């Protein structure tokens, strides 16, 4: 039975059961230098493999798996070989705009939102939610806020009833009056003139949002409208933005979200989208995580949007990313020296 194992010490020989290792000249452990190989362009190879796998699919009934290259996206459809069509989609047809409703396109009074929750709490006999909870539920669906944050109920019927009642209170406080934010209508007209697809997202019920769109006079402008009935969760979950991108038939990297809070920025980045923050109800220094920050939408130009939606794809002639070759060093694997007593073993 081996009594112990000798260990090398920086301070000399170590005692083992009262005896010391005899000092010997250290033996150099034989090592073999392994030359560094050139790292393959992993990203380029993976792209080619997925591209071959996509092209080898001959069964029309085969369900396309997500993540294959190229994605199902009308802006980057490789079948468009017409130079005129290609020039159009390389211009403004390669990006989609996703707008939030309150605080981005129309004026929003945050006090009405808080007051509606306080009135609902009084009607339901619940304790008044503190200010930090009201700030936390901004951008959430009503059902999500009631069940997960306020913890008033988890019964689906009760959640639906309280959610509808909260929207009725909010509508009464607003009085059915909607007004464009300064510069929003002009920016919408610019995107319409350049034929840029647009989507509208909101956690409001579809009926209320459609009535507001008709009342403000922009009916038929948006290619897709996502409301509370279309998604399960609100911000900071990117479900609303991702679903809007699917309706626009654009990959997330080609979509730009226009929001007015850090929750919007977080949800957009989580969904792999760029975000333009509008400083309407939050100060500028709180929105620095956004890709662009403006006070009014008409401060933006189409060139700004094209630069945000510009991503490197092999279809557009981008060079594949090549890994940097590491330089060889003299001692890649440093040799270790150990003094061991042969008689000990």
């Amino acid at each position: 039975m081996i009594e112990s194992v000798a260990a090398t010490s920086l301070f000399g020989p170590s005692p083992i059961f009262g005896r010391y290792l005899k000092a010997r000249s250290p033996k150099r452990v034989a090592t073999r230098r392994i030359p560094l190989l050139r790292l393959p362009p992993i990203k380029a190879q993976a792209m080619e493999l997925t591209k071959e796998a996509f092209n080898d699919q001959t069964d029309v009934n085969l369900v396309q798996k997500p993540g294959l290259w190229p994605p199902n996206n009308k802006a980057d459809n490789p079948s468009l070989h017409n130079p005129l069509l290609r020039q159009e989609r390389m211009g403004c047809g390669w990006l989609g705009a996703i707008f939030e409703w309150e605080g981005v396109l129309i004026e929003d009074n945050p006090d009405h939102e808080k007051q509606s929750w306080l009135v609902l709490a009084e009607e339901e006999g619940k304790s008044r939610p503190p200010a930090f909870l009201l700030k936390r539920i901004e951008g959430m669906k009503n059902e999500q806020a009631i069940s997960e944050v306020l913890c008033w109920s988890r019964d689906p019927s009760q959640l639906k009833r309280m959610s509808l009642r909260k929207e009725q209170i909010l509508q009464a406080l607003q009085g059915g009056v909607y007004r464009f934010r300064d510069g929003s209508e002009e920016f919408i007209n610019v995107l319409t003139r350049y034929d840029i697809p647009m989507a509208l997202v909101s956690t409001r019920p579809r009926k209320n949002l459609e009535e507001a769109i008709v009342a403000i006079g922009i009916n038929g402008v948006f290619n897709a409208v996502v409301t509370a009935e279309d998604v399960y969760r609100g911000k900071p979950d990117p479900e609303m933005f991702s679903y809007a991108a699917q309706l626009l038939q654009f990959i997330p990297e080609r979509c730009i979200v226009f929001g007015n809070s850090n929750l919007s920025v977080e949800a957009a980045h989580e969904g792999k989208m760029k975000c333009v923050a509008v400083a309407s109800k939050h100060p500028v220094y709180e929105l620095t995580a956004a890709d662009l920050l403006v006070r009014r939408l008409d401060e933006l130009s189409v060139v700004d949007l094209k630069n945000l939606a510009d991503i490197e794809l092999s279809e557009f002639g981008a060079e594949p990313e090549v890994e940097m070759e590491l330089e060889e060093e003299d001692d890649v694997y440093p040799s270790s020296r150990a003094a061991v007593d042969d008689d000990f073993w």
Side-chain angles (χ1 to χ4, degrees), residues 160-277:
K160 184 177 181 180
R161 181 187 63 82
M162 286 189 285
S163 175
L164 293 177
R165 178 55 185 161
K166 185 261 178 185
E167 290 299 324
Q168 293 176 358
I169 298 173
L170 181 61
Q171 290 289 105
L173 292 175
Q174 292 178 345
V177 178
Y178 302 95
R179 185 173 67 87
F180 275 114
R181 294 195 73 253
D182 294 338
S184 299
E185 186 176 8
E186 294 80 2
F187 186 68
I188 292 295
N189 293 334
V190 170
L191 299 190
T192 303
R193 184 167 64 250
Y194 280 91
D195 198 21
I196 296 179
M198 293 179 288
L200 181 63
V201 299
S202 176
T203 55
R204 304 301 176 204
R206 179 172 293 274
K207 179 181 178 181
N208 297 349
L209 187 61
E210 290 179 350
E211 292 177 355
I213 292 175
V214 174
I216 207 170
I218 53 175
N219 188 26
V221 173
F222 298 98
N223 303 83
V225 177
V226 179
T227 59
E229 293 86 350
D230 300 321
V231 295
Y232 179 71
R233 300 177 63 85
K235 297 179 299 185
D237 194 285
E239 184 180 358
M240 290 193 307
F241 301 146
S242 299
Y243 184 57
Q246 293 178 11
L247 295 179
L248 293 178
Q249 299 182 14
F250 279 91
I251 58 176
E253 291 83 357
R254 293 294 195 196
C255 295
I256 302 174
V257 174
F258 297 84
N260 66 341
S261 65
N262 278 327
L263 292 178
S264 304
V265 178
E266 180 181 354
H269 289 172
E270 185 70 19
K272 300 180 181 179
M273 306 178 189
K274 300 298 178 61
C275 184
V276 176

Side-chain angles (χ1 to χ4, degrees), residues 261-316:
S261 65
N262 278 327
L263 292 178
S264 304
V265 178
E266 180 181 354
H269 289 172
E270 185 70 19
K272 300 180 181 179
M273 306 178 189
K274 300 298 178 61
C275 184
V276 176
V278 181
S280 58
K281 62 179 181 180
H282 293 281
V284 173
Y285 62 83
E286 289 186 3
L287 304 173
T288 55
D291 299 281
L292 277 180
L293 181 59
V294 295
R295 296 184 182 273
R296 299 163 42 125
L297 286 179
D298 58 354
E299 298 176 10
L300 297 169
S301 65
V302 177
V303 177
D304 296 330
L305 303 186
K306 290 171 64 176
N307 291 335
L308 280 181
D310 185 14
I311 59 176
E312 294 184 358
L313 295 177
S314 60
E315 181 188 352
F316 304 129

